Amino acid sequence: MDDEADEVDATNVADEQAWLGSDRDYTYQELLGRVFNILRQKNPELSGEKRRYIIAPPIMERDGKKSAFSNIADICKRMNRPMEHLIQFLFTELGTTGSVDGSNRLIIKGRFQQRNMEHMLRRYIREYVTCKTCKSPDTIITKENRLFFMQCESCGSTRSVATIKSGYVAQTTKRSVLRRAAGQ
């Protein structure tokens, strides 16, 4: 391991000395390449390569007319979000209800497949986890008064995020009555 570090240091010293001993005019592209090489060597996190945010796929199990989301606790822990927030989002978007059982599985009324949950998780991550400025997943969500704010730990930006709308509301009036009222 130390041999590799010594080789890298020797290469860096040789590169620096090659630049110091020459008085020729360098092209813009050569100088720009040198600057970026030095930046990558000294600060690998600033290299500009995109990191993908990888989360384990949801594990869905069917139990009659209900679906069980088995690894919701693990996914919430990886996203650094409270489980109640994600559950509220899922219930609102899916238009259903459910509960958490003793083994931290989310039991949802209705039949939902893994791809449904993947789609919902992507939407949740896009809205409530990923920083809009730098696209980093290293964010914290806080609640001040009635508003939720998301603060990025990478770039320091803060923005308010939309509150999750009310959950499933049963329709008590007939649709024909609603259509007539909307037409007037």
Side-chain angles (χ1 to χ4, degrees):
M1 189 80 173
D2 291 332
D3 294 335
E4 292 176 13
D6 291 340
E7 287 177 23
V8 170
D9 290 340
T11 305
N12 290 344
V13 170
D15 287 343
E16 289 177 18
Q17 289 175 355
W19 286 89
L20 292 175
S22 176
D23 61 345
R24 77 173 182 93
D25 291 334
Y26 292 98
T27 65
Y28 178 77
Q29 291 300 324
E30 289 174 321
L31 292 172
L32 193 63
R34 179 173 183 242
V35 167
F36 277 106
N37 285 337
I38 292 171
L39 277 175
R40 279 188 206 101
Q41 290 169 359
K42 307 261 184 207
N43 304 309
E45 70 276 359
L46 295 178
S47 64
E49 286 123 20
K50 293 218 174 204
R51 293 183 305 159
R52 290 200 45 100
Y53 191 47
I54 299 172
I55 290 187
I59 299 172
M60 298 299 294
E61 301 166 359
R62 296 204 31 207
D63 185 25
K65 292 185 179 181
K66 296 180 181 179
S67 301
F69 189 169
S70 299
N71 61 342
I72 189 167
D74 180 47
I75 289 175
C76 289
K77 184 178 175 185
R78 287 180 183 213
M79 289 190 302
N80 193 21
R81 293 292 178 268
M83 193 160 58
E84 295 79 24
H85 193 256
L86 177 60
I87 290 172
Q88 184 182 7
F89 176 82
L90 290 175
F91 288 165
T92 302
E93 292 296 315
L94 296 172
T96 187
T97 59
S99 61
V100 178
D101 68 358
S103 59
N104 274 341
R105 294 185 326 162
L106 178 64
I107 307 298
I108 306 169
K109 291 183 182 176
R111 292 184 181 182
F112 298 100
Q113 296 177 352
Q114 181 177 352
R115 62 182 168 157
N116 298 96
M117 286 300 140
E118 285 178 6
H119 179 68
M120 290 296 137
L121 283 174
R122 279 193 198 103
R123 288 180 56 189
Y124 182 82
I125 289 170
R126 192 178 318 123
E127 182 65 31
Y128 296 101
V129 178
T130 306
C131 175
K132 297 280 188 202
T133 307
C134 68
K135 307 287 188 233
S136 171
D138 302 325
T139 58
I140 299 172
I141 197 164
T142 57
K143 186 174 183 178
E144 296 176 19
N145 298 332
R146 293 180 297 189
L147 298 175
F148 282 99
F149 288 95
M150 187 170 62
Q151 182 174 7
C152 180
E153 293 182 322
S154 296
C155 69
S157 70
T158 302
R159 72 176 182 95
S160 63
V161 292
T163 57
I164 298 173
K165 309 291 187 284
S166 63
Y168 178 73
V169 178
Q171 187 171 357
T172 57
T173 58
K174 292 194 173 196
R175 287 193 172 99
S176 59
V177 173
L178 290 174
R179 271 189 247 125
R180 271 189 259 128
Q184 291 177 357

